[in-house]
Amino acid sequence: MALLYDRVYIDGFGECRGMGRCGTCRVFIDGDPATLTGMDRNEVSTLTKAGTEGEGVRLSCQILVDEHLDGRTVTVLGEE
């Protein structure tokens, strides 16, 4: 998240710098959500407040990048 915030410059992305509180890094990840790292209460609360909770919707700052992401499509969600 620090790399994205400091170097990639996606406008409005990652405002809380990976704390799971702002919801600007909301993504949809295809495939089985059970294979991803678990959600903590900050992530659940933030997604609920944003009205975007649902299967496959996560905060990218809260997802461990590992072999479970291999071959999956990650879509950044914008303001609807």
Side-chain angles (χ1 to χ4, degrees):
M1 182 53 71
L3 177 64
L4 287 173
Y5 189 84
D6 292 339
R7 303 285 182 194
V8 178
Y9 308 114
I10 301 171
D11 190 37
F13 188 89
E15 293 297 318
C16 72
R17 297 185 185 186
M19 300 301 293
R21 296 178 189 250
C22 69
T24 60
C25 69
R26 290 172 296 139
V27 295
F28 172 79
I29 302 175
D30 70 345
D32 183 7
T35 60
L36 300 175
T37 53
M39 295 173 73
D40 72 10
R41 64 183 174 154
N42 282 348
E43 184 174 7
V44 172
S45 176
T46 300
L47 290 172
T48 300
K49 288 177 186 175
T52 55
E53 70 271 36
E55 191 168 302
V57 177
R58 296 291 304 269
L59 297 178
S60 62
C61 69
Q62 302 298 301
I63 299 170
L64 180 64
V65 177
D66 63 12
E67 68 277 359
H68 294 108
L69 287 176
D70 188 34
R72 296 173 92 164
T73 301
V74 178
T75 306
V76 176
L77 301 176
E79 294 297 320
E80 278 77 43

